[in-house]
Amino acid sequence: MKLIIAIIRENQLDQVREALIEAGITRITVSHVAGHGRSKTEEIYRGQIVVPNLVPNSRLEIAVNDEFVDATCNAIINATKANDDGLIGSGKIFITNLEECIRLRTGERGQEAI
């Protein structure tokens, strides 16, 4: 089992969600977050270097069984590329091992709980 975390631009959320549904991935969690990556435009204001503003983004968390990792990542990548032509700041995908998953309603564990 894997936990896929994707940070994408807010304006790409609908396209990514639709692409995930087409790929058979229907269970996602979305949070609205802010941050900035490597690209920054430093400005000097009254002789001081100003830290860049945090950019609003969407964070998707998707727990999947191992066989769905590639389909999930490909859906996210294709949906974001179609919308921004690879601009800087398009986002990132993180994949981590998911040790356990428990469905609260039934007590199911592991792959069946996802």
Side-chain angles (χ1 to χ4, degrees):
M1 296 180 299
K2 303 288 186 199
L3 178 62
I4 299 172
I5 301 169
I7 309 295
I8 61 170
R9 295 179 185 201
E10 283 188 326
N11 65 340
Q12 296 174 328
L13 180 58
D14 287 335
Q15 291 92 339
V16 169
R17 189 181 58 81
E18 289 172 11
L20 287 168
I21 290 169
E22 286 179 22
I25 310 299
T26 57
R27 297 176 180 102
I28 64 171
T29 300
V30 177
S31 304
H32 297 287
V33 297
H36 63 80
R38 208 182 321 174
S39 64
K40 54 184 176 181
T41 55
E42 292 183 352
E43 297 179 11
I44 296 180
Y45 179 72
R46 294 187 181 181
Q48 298 289 327
I49 295 176
V50 178
V51 177
N53 290 331
L54 297 176
V55 178
N57 290 307
S58 294
R59 174 183 169 134
L60 299 131
E61 294 182 32
I62 310 161
V64 297
N65 292 320
D66 291 338
E67 59 268 17
F68 289 97
V69 172
D70 288 337
T72 302
C73 292
N74 289 337
I76 295 168
I77 292 166
N78 292 335
T80 56
K81 276 187 180 178
N83 194 26
D84 71 4
D85 294 324
L87 293 174
I88 293 174
S90 296
K92 291 235 183 342
I93 298 174
F94 304 97
I95 303 170
T96 61
N97 288 323
L98 184 59
E99 190 171 319
E100 184 67 274
C101 179
I102 303 169
R103 180 174 287 143
L104 294 175
R105 181 178 51 87
T106 62
E108 289 174 293
R109 292 178 173 261
Q111 292 183 351
E112 292 78 31
I114 290 180

